[in-house]
Amino acid sequence: MLVEFSVGNYLSFKNVVTFSLVASGIKEHKDTHLFETKKLKLLKSAVVYGANASGKSNLFSAMAFMTEFVLNSSKGYQIGEKIDVESFRLSTETINKPSFFEIVLVQNNVLYRYGFEVNKLEVVREWLYFTPKNQEIQLFERNGSTYSISDHFKEGKNLFEKTRNNALFVSVVSQFNGEIATSIVKWFGELFNISGLTDSYRDITTSILENKNLKNTFINLIRMADSGIEDVKIKNKIKLGFEIVPGKNEEWQFDHTVTNISTFHKKYSPNNKFIELEEFQLTKHESRGTEKLFSLLGPIIDTLQKGSILIVDEFDSRLHTLLTRFIVGLFNSVDKNPNNAQLIINTHDTNLLSRKIFRRDQIWFTEKDRYGATDLYSLVEYQKVRNDSSFEKDYLIGKYGAIPFVGDLDFNINQEDTK
């Protein structure tokens, strides 16, 4: 489970901001939208709003960078290779400072706080703490090439010498099968961070359809979404291709799998009597919205089954607002989400800005200041929001900020250049 995520000096984030899934003391949806673990009450979902270029996607990019670096720094970076991190560029104050990333998570029923500071050349700092009972205890701290490793992290002893300056210590220890480090890396490995503008995660849906039990779940959900689809079948073609391996002169042969997906709709006679199921091709006959829903349902089912975390950028892209409500409702449900999976989205769909759908502490905003730096804050921070307030209306008139300031339309498209 995700508890908190903090980032600073990265992309549009100059100062450190914290995104939290810790539930506040408000009474809204207390029996459905939150759960308790390690004496913490955590939220099942959260949504981020903001103007274009305000930093919504940058928050998700920060999570994606941290995930990728944890998973691959020990094996994906060579000696002297630069780290692909982008600091805040609109201030001379941040140019020579490292970027900051920290996450608080629960894995295997243990609460951890893990983070690092990094620039393009090296890992400047790295730390890992855990809270076995009530008090937080250090597992290790790293400052440049200096390491402090506690007896609670014996798996890391003598491995700091094997850690390059552009690799994370926790990733290296995981490579040597350290139990705690492996559990941290595994948590990141089960994190879905996907873009709503691509369908690159369709393979996950395909694997769901190859599992008989999970396919039934998929079919039930696709029917509930009123797509008109009654059944789905996958058909694979194996094509032989070639791959040129870098550093080698010869071509290496490999098998490439192309998946064809068929959808089936009910076919009727002139008197509206059901005759049979008519076969369609997903990419040829279905709408782009149906394709998006089809691809997204795979990660959704996988996340709900594992009780993990799904992060979706541009969530409303190609999806009707009732479908976005349907998906959010799956995660906020007690029955549909028994494993307490978490959904984090950003969107421009203000129809979701409703107290019937989200608690105030589930609604977040990003807004840039006059110097180009992104601030991140929650609706629950507004103390005077009335019980009968319309979140959507108040947001659109600017009560919460985080909206674009659009100029007037007093211009002539055919106006001559006056230079």
Side-chain angles (χ1 to χ4, degrees):
M1 291 91 172
L2 175 63
V3 180
E4 289 182 349
F5 173 75
S6 300
V7 59
N9 192 23
Y10 180 75
L11 296 178
S12 62
F13 295 100
K14 178 185 177 183
N15 300 314
V16 175
V17 300
T18 297
F19 174 80
S20 177
L21 287 178
V22 177
S24 66
I26 61 177
K27 305 300 182 182
E28 304 159 11
H29 302 293
K30 64 178 182 178
D31 297 325
T32 54
H33 289 41
L34 52 86
F35 62 96
E36 188 168 349
T37 181
K38 301 301 295 180
K39 298 182 180 180
L40 291 170
K41 290 184 178 180
L42 301 180
L43 300 167
K44 294 180 180 178
S45 64
V47 59
V48 183
Y49 284 92
N52 292 105
S54 65
K56 299 188 306 297
S57 293
N58 287 345
L59 176 66
F60 290 13
S61 294
M63 294 180 184
F65 171 81
M66 187 176 194
T67 299
E68 189 278 333
F69 200 50
V70 168
L71 294 177
N72 298 315
S73 69
S74 65
K75 53 188 177 181
Y77 288 80
Q78 303 302 315
I79 296 176
E81 185 176 351
K82 287 188 176 181
I83 300 168
D84 188 22
V85 64
E86 189 73 44
S87 61
F88 183 74
R89 299 172 61 181
L90 300 182
S91 171
T92 56
E93 181 184 353
T94 56
I95 290 177
N96 297 317
K97 291 184 178 180
S99 299
F100 175 95
F101 302 86
E102 184 178 77
I103 201 159
V104 181
L105 59 95
V106 177
Q107 175 73 324
N108 298 330
N109 205 35
V110 179
L111 182 68
Y112 293 98
R113 179 169 65 90
Y114 171 69
F116 54 82
E117 292 184 357
V118 61
N119 58 33
K120 287 187 176 294
L121 299 177
E122 63 181 350
V123 177
V124 178
R125 292 182 59 233
E126 186 181 2
W127 57 91
L128 177 62
Y129 289 78
F130 79 137
T131 307
K133 293 183 180 179
N134 297 319
Q135 185 177 1
E136 187 178 67
I137 298 174
Q138 174 192 315
L139 290 170
F140 75 83
E141 281 197 11
R142 168 190 186 182
N143 285 282
S145 58
T146 302
Y147 289 76
S148 174
I149 302 173
S150 76
D151 290 337
H152 297 281
F153 199 66
K154 293 180 180 180
E155 62 194 65
K157 300 287 186 181
N158 302 321
L159 290 180
F160 60 87
E161 297 177 349
K162 301 181 183 296
T163 304
R164 300 186 308 275
N165 63 351
N166 61 353
L168 293 171
F169 185 52
V170 76
S171 303
V172 172
V173 177
S174 175
Q175 287 286 298
F176 286 86
N177 299 318
E179 182 178 355
I180 296 174
T182 298
S183 70
I184 298 295
V185 173
K186 182 181 178 182
W187 185 91
F188 280 98
E190 293 178 347
L191 186 72
F192 271 125
N193 195 325
I194 60 181
S195 170
L197 298 177
T198 67
D199 294 325
S200 60
Y201 39 90
R202 185 177 295 163
D203 288 346
I204 302 167
T205 298
T206 301
S207 66
I208 292 291
L209 292 173
E210 291 173 333
N211 182 305
K212 182 180 292 187
N213 293 329
L214 294 181
K215 179 182 177 180
N216 291 335
T217 301
F218 179 92
I219 297 299
N220 288 335
L221 288 178
I222 202 79
R223 287 174 180 170
M224 290 171 63
D226 195 29
S227 65
I229 296 174
E230 291 293 320
D231 197 7
V232 177
K233 291 184 180 179
I234 58 175
K235 301 176 181 179
N236 292 330
K237 286 183 179 180
I238 306 298
K239 287 188 176 182
L240 191 62
F242 293 91
E243 178 182 34
I244 299 177
V245 179
K248 295 185 178 291
N249 295 323
E250 67 269 31
E251 291 180 338
W252 293 78
Q253 205 172 36
F254 75 107
D255 287 333
H256 178 58
T257 303
V258 175
T259 303
N260 292 323
I261 301 172
S262 295
T263 59
F264 293 83
H265 294 251
K266 287 183 177 179
K267 186 176 183 180
Y268 296 91
S269 67
N271 61 354
N272 295 324
K273 182 179 180 180
F274 169 70
I275 300 175
E276 61 185 1
L277 291 177
E278 181 71 14
E279 182 176 357
F280 292 86
Q281 294 299 313
L282 177 66
T283 56
K284 184 177 181 180
H285 300 109
E286 301 290 356
S287 70
R288 295 303 300 274
T290 298
E291 285 189 65
K292 163 74 178 293
L293 178 63
F294 184 94
S295 298
L296 196 55
L297 280 180
I300 288 171
I301 293 171
D302 188 82
T303 302
L304 289 171
Q305 182 193 36
K306 293 178 179 177
S308 51
I309 302 152
L310 176 62
I311 301 170
V312 187
D313 189 17
E314 300 286 355
F315 180 61
D316 55 321
S317 170
R318 305 191 193 125
L319 288 181
H320 191 279
T321 186
L322 292 180
L323 288 180
T324 60
R325 285 191 178 199
F326 167 71
I327 293 171
V328 170
L330 291 176
F331 283 83
N332 285 337
S333 167
V334 175
D335 297 333
K336 301 296 189 298
N337 186 9
N339 298 318
N340 299 320
Q342 292 171 300
L343 173 70
I344 304 169
I345 60 174
N346 70 38
T347 183
H348 292 293
D349 183 2
T350 58
N351 288 291
L352 293 177
L353 261 177
S354 167
R355 63 177 64 255
K356 294 181 179 180
I357 300 173
F358 287 112
R359 293 161 48 101
R360 281 172 290 159
D361 50 7
Q362 291 178 291
I363 300 171
W364 289 78
F365 302 105
T366 55
E367 185 174 49
K368 281 187 177 178
D369 63 20
R370 61 186 295 186
Y371 306 106
T374 295
D375 189 19
L376 176 70
Y377 53 95
S378 172
L379 180 58
V380 80
E381 296 176 32
Y382 286 82
Q383 300 296 324
K384 295 183 180 180
V385 178
R386 291 173 43 174
N387 290 332
D388 59 348
S389 297
S390 169
F391 295 165
E392 180 181 17
K393 179 182 177 181
D394 288 349
Y395 170 64
L396 290 176
I397 64 175
K399 279 192 175 182
Y400 311 137
I403 59 172
F405 294 97
V406 183
D408 61 52
L409 300 180
D410 186 18
F411 75 100
N412 185 351
I413 197 168
N414 295 316
Q415 185 174 350
E416 293 184 3
D417 192 345
T418 57
K419 288 183 180 179

